[in-house]
Amino acid sequence: MPLRVSNLQLPVEQAEESLRDLLATTLGVRATDFTRWRILRKSLDARARDDLRFVYSAVVELPNDEQRVFEQLRDPRVEFYEPPQFVE
């Protein structure tokens, strides 16, 4: 089951491509270990005028490692992700 990582922050000047490395660091794995990853949510934290930041939530799939990574981390920002079901 994929993992959702919330509250990842990057300065607005930093390229969004660096989010993958931030995800890997947060999870304690290499970015090349990701099977897939995607951004679920992106918002702008503009509370401090001189320190604008984008705040992300992202989903990461690892090959058969999600349970082990989740148990080792014990990080409240990381949880299992169940995609919402589409209902007509």
Side-chain angles (χ1 to χ4, degrees):
M1 182 176 288
L3 296 173
R4 178 173 61 192
V5 184
S6 304
N7 200 27
L8 295 168
Q9 300 182 15
L10 290 176
V12 293
E13 303 85 20
Q14 193 166 353
E16 195 170 85
E17 289 80 30
S18 61
L19 181 60
R20 182 178 184 182
D21 294 329
L22 181 59
L23 275 167
T25 302
T26 302
L27 294 174
V29 297
R30 295 183 310 242
T32 56
D33 292 342
F34 294 170
T35 305
R36 284 183 16 190
W37 73 280
R38 68 183 175 103
I39 296 171
L40 287 176
R41 182 173 166 217
K42 177 181 179 180
S43 61
L44 179 65
D45 181 356
R47 290 178 289 178
R49 180 181 237 171
D50 298 332
D51 188 27
L52 299 177
R53 297 182 162 274
F54 284 119
V55 181
Y56 297 91
S57 289
V59 172
V60 176
E61 292 180 21
L62 300 167
N64 303 320
D65 271 354
E66 285 105 353
Q67 184 69 36
R68 180 187 58 80
V69 170
F70 179 75
E71 289 173 358
Q72 287 179 348
L73 281 178
R74 306 254 187 240
D75 188 334
R77 298 177 300 167
V78 179
E79 60 190 7
F80 287 108
Y81 176 71
E82 182 70 35
Q85 298 296 319
F86 179 75
V87 180
E88 288 187 40

